[in-house]
Every structure is written in C-alpha cells, then in structure tokens.
Amino acid sequence: MSKKPIGVPICREAAVAAPQQYNPSRLLNALIELLDLKSDAALARALEIAPPTISKMRHRVVPVSAAMLICMHYLSGLSISELRGLMSDHGPRFRAGIK
C-alpha cells in the first residue's frame, strides 16, 4: 500500500486520481486522517452523531446527506465540492433560482 507523501493535501490526491465510483469510505478515511482521529467512533464523536451512522454511510446503507456534508465542512474546513470529490460524488447539483 502506498503512503501519502508528506505535505500533499488529501484533496489534491482526490483531484488527480482517476475517475472512480461513488465511495463514501474514501471520504470518511480522509476525514479521519485529516483530523488525526483514530477510528470511525472518534469521527462520530467529532461530528456529534451515533457511531452506527458512520458504519451505515461506509457500507452505503444510508447516503452521506447534505446536512452531513455541511457538518463535515465545518469540522474539516474543506469545501462541499472537495468533500463530494473525495467520495467521487458526481451527481446532479441543485441551485436555487437556476432552471
């Protein structure tokens, strides 16, 4: 398994990676690494959610909601588009007032 070079931002790695399928595990792993946490349970505590919610997102039982992305944004400082890019979410984007 290759290690991330020191000083290279996680988001940049996601940007240069080959297009991939939707994978919330990449997002969760990146947040754990970025926030220097030890486990999914620690991430759940930081996000103030129940630990099974992280497991359900990781196993695609429940989607990563817009509200969860906003919480992740406030916690990590990463933009919403960077967070979506980490999980290769290329779904439609809805903008108010745009048809």
Side-chain angles (χ1 to χ4, degrees):
M1 184 175 213
S2 65
K3 289 190 173 187
K4 179 176 76 84
I6 295 174
V8 176
I10 295 169
C11 300
R12 185 170 175 210
E13 288 179 359
V16 297
Q20 298 176 357
Q21 298 263 341
Y22 170 77
N23 185 354
S25 288
R26 270 196 312 276
L27 170 63
L28 299 172
N29 292 340
L31 286 172
I32 287 170
E33 183 178 337
L34 178 70
L35 300 171
D36 197 30
L37 302 173
K38 303 292 181 198
S39 64
D40 283 356
L43 179 59
R45 282 190 297 276
L47 291 168
E48 299 179 5
I49 59 172
T53 305
I54 297 289
S55 178
K56 289 176 184 176
M57 285 189 291
R58 188 176 290 281
H59 294 98
R60 302 180 197 182
V61 174
V62 298
V64 178
S65 68
M68 185 58 57
L69 284 173
I70 291 169
C71 291
M72 291 173 175
H73 160 70
Y74 283 121
L75 186 64
S76 69
L78 297 174
S79 71
I80 300 295
S81 69
E82 288 173 317
L83 293 168
R84 287 183 67 161
L86 283 168
M87 64 180 168
S88 299
D89 181 7
H90 304 294
R93 287 161 176 78
F94 299 99
R95 307 260 193 265
I98 298 176
K99 295 181 181 181

